[in-house]
């Protein structure tokens, strides 16, 4: 039985770009904030902000979380979010790679060499196996014989020792003095997974902690969050916060002791996690978000890999994107010759495993045709919003295809989700779902829990619901697709 998905209704937030964790509103040129140069040219001084949408997940299975990661979501504790790629000041792309896509540069080699020297000072620092340099073998060999260095995977739970390291890291590396034990717990210990998933079984942790000797093809039992604690001479010097997903390892955060900055622990942890991906027979290593024009985030391209095209629900290799997209801008690619003028249907794709473009197709970046100032997406959305409104689902015509969202929900001051957002199920498809009755598959399949009234009930008939509930349900489908909405318990 799949676990129940318990979520709040979707929210859309904006904040000033000076609070963006990536650009801090400090880009050199104003046009660099815009998703496309054509939007910059067409803009009348609209204010680019930090625009995020998401929901709080009280309970979620690892399988569903894995699917949401492949839709561009990330989690911060229990909060799942992604940015609005049209209106946000930065383009955040989900990036993943595989162990064999990493080309070992001089930089990586010297990181590994330095690591070997630090933890095996008695040795001569040289490899003895001969043959070409292989980073996986290098890590395995170095760690297997090291006496003073070890790591241990354990449940992502709070300890004072972990918090002390976190505090030191935040203060010295990020100049952040506003942290406290509660915020650490919320950010890096809490997750939407069940208690059983979080704690895991002894068998799972034993197998994971013996990842170096797993047999080729052996299935990894652990799925869910983990803290990998790094110890040097029995002192905690780093923690890798990771999620083990069915399709791979997702890196959530990495904390290290500033006194060990010479070890390049950040780089080392990525190389180690790629080794673990390989040895545990998983496919992908998810590195979080990649941002072209952000030095803090664009180093990830060094590990090879592919970016998620949220509009088509396919990964595209970075090497192919180089000639198709401009740095920092929005893209969506189709096989050439492309058909799309308006937004591409997305709902069906969301019900299937994410795709990959790894063949030799000729590709075309269709972003202007769809999301440019004269793109087809906006007229489609206007027509669909009008039609939805006529059948009692209150979507207002969005006169601001671009720029900050202006309309707010009455009750909680959060913004209404704009009608065109790349990577959300287009309104046109929502309309078809309602008109063709596909939405009725949610009957007796969605539960509402009214937190103010304290009552719980099942969705009986979509057409008998209030306009607000209809809109809320449609927004949930826009964010996660119809298939993933089945079985949801929605907190209202
Ligand atoms: Zn930004």
């Amino acid at each position: 039985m799949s676990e129940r998905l318990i979520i709040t209704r979707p929210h859309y937030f904006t904040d000033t770009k000076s609070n963006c964790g990536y650009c801090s509103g400090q880009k050199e040129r104003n046009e660099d904030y815009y998703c496309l140069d054509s939007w910059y040219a067409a803009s009348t001084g609209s204010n680019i902000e930090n625009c995020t949408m998401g929901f709080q997940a009280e309970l979620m299975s690892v399988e569903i979380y894995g699917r949401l990661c492949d839709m561009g979501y990330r989690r911060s504790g229990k909060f799942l979010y992604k940015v609005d790629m049209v209106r946000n000041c930065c383009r955040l792309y989900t990036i993943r790679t595989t162990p064999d896509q990493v080309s070992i540069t001089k930089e990586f080699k010297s990181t590994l060499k330095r690591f070997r020297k630090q933890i095996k000072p008695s040795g001569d620092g040289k490899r003895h196996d001969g043959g070409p340099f292989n980073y996986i073998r290098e890590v395995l060999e170095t760690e297997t014989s090291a006496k003073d260095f070890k790591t241990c995977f354990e449940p992502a739970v709070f300890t004072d020792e972990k918090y002390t390291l976190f505090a030191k890291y935040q203060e010295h590396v990020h100049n952040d003095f506003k942290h406290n034990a509660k915020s650490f717990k919320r950010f890096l210990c809490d997750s939407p997974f069940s208690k059983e998933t979080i704690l895991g079984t002894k068998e799972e942790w034993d197998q994971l902690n013996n990842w170096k000797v797993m047999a080729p093809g052996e299935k990894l039992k652990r799925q869910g969050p983990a803290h990998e604690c790094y110890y040097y001479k029995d002192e905690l010097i780093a923690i890798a916060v990771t999620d083990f997903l069915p399709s791979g390892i997702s890196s959530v955060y990495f904390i290290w002791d500033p006194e060990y900055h010479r070890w390049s622990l950040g780089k080392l942890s990525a190389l180690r996690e790629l080794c673990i991906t390989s040895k545990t027979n998983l496919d992908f290593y998810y590195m979080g978000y990649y941002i072209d024009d952000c030095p803090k985030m664009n180093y990830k391209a060094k590990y090879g890999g592919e970016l998620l095209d949220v509009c088509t629900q396919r990964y595209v290799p970075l090497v192919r994107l180089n000639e198709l997209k401009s740095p920092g801008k929005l893209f969506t690619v189709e096989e050439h010759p492309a058909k799309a003028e308006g937004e591409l249907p997305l709902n069906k794709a969301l019900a299937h495993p994410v795709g990959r473009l790894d063949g030799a197709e000729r590709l075309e970046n269709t972003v202007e045709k769809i999301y440019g100032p004269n793109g087809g997406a906006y007229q489609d959305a206007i027509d669909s919003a009008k039609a939805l409104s006529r059948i009692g689902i209150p979507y207002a015509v969005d006169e601001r295809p671009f720029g900050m969202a202006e309309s707010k929900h009455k009750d909680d001051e959060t913004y209404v989700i704009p009608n065109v957002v790349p990577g959300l199920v287009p309104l046109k498809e929502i309309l078809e779902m309602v008109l063709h009755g596909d939405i009725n598959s949610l009957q007796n399949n969605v539960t509402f829990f009214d937190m103010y009234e304290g009552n719980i009930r099942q969705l009986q008939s979509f057409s008998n619901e209030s306009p607000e509930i209809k809109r809320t349900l449609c927004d949930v489908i826009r964010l996660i697709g119809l298939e993933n909405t089945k079985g949801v318990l929605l907190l209202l």
Side-chain angles (χ1 to χ4, degrees):
M1 200 190 86
S2 68
E3 278 176 61
R4 173 136 242 170
L5 177 59
I6 304 179
I7 57 173
T8 62
R9 71 177 173 78
H11 294 283
Y12 188 94
F13 308 89
T14 70
D15 197 350
T16 69
K17 59 181 179 288
S18 58
N19 285 336
C20 169
Y22 305 108
C23 71
S24 314
Q26 303 277 319
K27 293 193 191 188
E28 268 172 35
R29 305 178 322 159
N30 204 19
E31 53 261 53
D32 293 340
Y33 293 114
Y34 288 75
C35 65
L36 292 168
D37 288 330
S38 54
W39 267 120
Y40 173 66
S43 73
T44 48
S46 42
N47 227 347
I48 296 290
E49 303 285 337
N50 201 212
C51 301
T52 309
M53 67 213 130
F55 48 86
Q56 181 87 0
E58 291 301 330
L59 185 64
M60 176 175 276
S61 68
V62 178
E63 288 78 12
I64 291 194
Y65 180 61
R67 288 210 287 276
L68 293 175
C69 285
D70 282 331
M71 292 179 201
Y73 289 95
R74 296 279 295 163
R75 70 176 185 89
S76 171
K78 291 174 174 226
F79 186 67
L80 273 90
Y81 66 94
K82 61 179 177 182
V83 301
D84 176 342
M85 296 283 246
V86 165
R87 296 162 192 84
N88 195 51
C89 51
C90 296
R91 256 45 62 201
L92 275 58
Y93 289 106
T94 298
I95 183 170
R96 68 177 192 183
T97 188
T98 56
D100 57 3
Q101 282 186 68
V102 184
S103 55
I104 290 298
T105 55
K106 248 188 178 166
E107 182 190 3
F108 289 157
K109 260 191 197 170
S110 66
T111 301
L112 291 173
K113 251 192 211 160
R114 229 174 302 139
F115 177 52
R116 176 185 274 260
K117 263 196 181 154
Q118 295 290 351
I119 70 171
K120 287 178 73 181
S122 55
D124 57 8
K126 288 203 181 78
R127 293 183 299 124
H128 295 114
D129 58 357
F133 187 89
N134 175 312
Y135 76 98
I136 297 179
R137 203 169 52 207
E138 177 74 13
V139 169
L140 288 176
E141 205 194 275
T142 304
E143 289 191 15
T144 306
S145 51
K147 281 194 200 76
D148 290 331
F149 178 84
K150 65 170 188 201
T151 75
C152 183
F153 281 102
E154 58 174 61
V157 294
F158 179 90
T159 67
D160 287 328
E161 190 190 23
K162 289 178 190 174
Y163 174 60
T164 305
L165 181 64
F166 174 74
K168 200 170 169 187
Y169 171 76
Q170 289 300 104
E171 289 168 14
H172 286 82
V173 179
H174 293 296
N175 210 15
D176 163 25
F177 293 86
K178 284 191 273 181
H179 59 80
N180 54 47
K182 236 185 183 168
S183 65
F184 167 68
K185 186 177 171 296
R186 208 168 38 226
F187 175 36
L188 294 174
C189 304
D190 288 355
S191 69
F193 310 114
S194 70
K195 199 175 158 197
E196 292 74 32
T197 302
I198 292 167
L199 295 179
T201 62
K202 186 176 179 301
E203 212 189 344
E204 280 171 26
W205 295 110
D206 283 351
Q207 185 201 32
L208 181 55
N209 277 315
N210 286 298
W211 61 270
K212 292 189 187 84
V213 294
M214 272 178 72
E218 183 184 341
K219 196 176 170 351
L220 182 71
K221 297 180 183 112
R222 176 66 194 156
Q223 285 195 359
H227 284 169
E228 187 184 17
C229 299
Y230 291 41
Y231 296 95
Y232 182 60
K233 298 192 170 166
D234 293 324
E235 190 193 340
L236 182 68
I237 62 161
I239 307 166
V241 183
T242 49
D243 284 329
F244 283 85
L245 307 177
S247 59
I249 299 178
S250 167
S251 162
V252 178
Y253 205 67
F254 187 68
I255 301 161
W256 43 272
D257 187 333
E259 283 169 41
Y260 290 81
H261 73 276
R262 283 201 184 82
W263 288 35
S264 305
L265 284 162
K267 266 179 239 164
L268 182 72
S269 74
L271 292 169
R272 289 188 76 259
E273 280 159 19
L274 278 152
C275 289
I276 299 168
T277 306
S278 168
K279 295 299 286 180
T280 54
N281 306 304
L282 291 167
D283 290 330
F284 298 102
Y285 178 49
Y286 291 80
M287 290 187 286
Y289 288 128
Y290 169 82
I291 306 170
D292 279 316
D293 53 352
C294 174
K296 267 195 288 186
M297 307 302 274
N298 63 12
Y299 73 91
K300 293 175 183 178
K302 291 181 187 169
Y303 298 86
E306 45 200 27
L307 302 189
L308 178 68
D309 178 351
V310 287
C311 310
T312 61
Q313 192 61 16
R314 285 186 302 207
Y315 282 96
V316 189
L318 268 166
V319 285
R320 300 212 61 189
L321 280 172
N322 287 342
E323 75 240 39
L324 289 168
K325 83 182 225 310
S326 317
K329 301 299 176 193
L330 180 65
F331 77 88
T332 175
V333 299
E334 276 188 84
E335 282 92 343
H336 186 77
K339 336 176 253 312
E341 301 269 313
E343 280 190 287
L344 297 159
L346 194 60
N347 184 56
K348 234 188 220 148
L350 294 180
H352 294 107
V354 69
R356 278 178 98 185
L357 278 173
D358 50 6
E361 310 84 346
R362 272 187 65 206
L363 301 176
E364 184 183 333
N365 185 356
T366 53
V367 71
E368 281 293 344
K369 283 190 203 166
I370 305 175
Y371 297 105
N374 302 311
Y378 308 103
Q379 190 57 48
D380 276 356
I382 289 172
D383 296 343
S384 307
K386 282 182 183 164
L388 282 162
S389 212
R390 276 198 297 273
I391 55 173
I393 308 172
Y395 278 92
V397 169
D398 203 341
E399 299 294 356
R400 48 181 170 90
F402 190 75
M404 187 178 162
E406 275 157 17
S407 66
K408 283 183 174 178
H409 284 290
K410 279 179 248 111
D411 45 351
D412 62 3
E413 291 289 292
T414 60
Y415 293 92
V416 171
I417 300 169
N419 289 350
V420 174
V421 181
L424 297 194
V425 173
L427 283 191
K428 197 173 163 185
E429 264 189 295
I430 298 286
L431 175 66
E432 282 163 16
M433 247 176 243
V434 177
L435 294 179
H436 299 162
D438 299 342
I439 205 159
N440 296 329
S441 62
L442 297 181
Q443 276 171 210
N444 299 315
N445 224 344
V446 167
T447 308
F448 300 110
F449 179 64
D450 187 324
M451 293 193 286
Y452 298 104
E453 305 284 332
N455 65 41
I456 189 159
R457 66 184 180 87
Q458 275 212 316
L459 173 73
Q460 299 293 342
S461 156
F462 181 79
S463 54
N464 290 343
E465 290 294 338
S466 68
E468 287 77 33
I469 294 283
K470 283 180 182 167
R471 160 97 201 211
T472 301
L473 259 184
C474 289
D475 280 348
V476 172
I477 299 169
R478 291 180 72 201
L479 262 77
I480 65 174
L482 183 64
E483 205 51 41
N484 292 320
T485 305
K486 291 176 187 170
V488 159
L489 189 153
L490 199 59
L491 303 171
L492 297 171

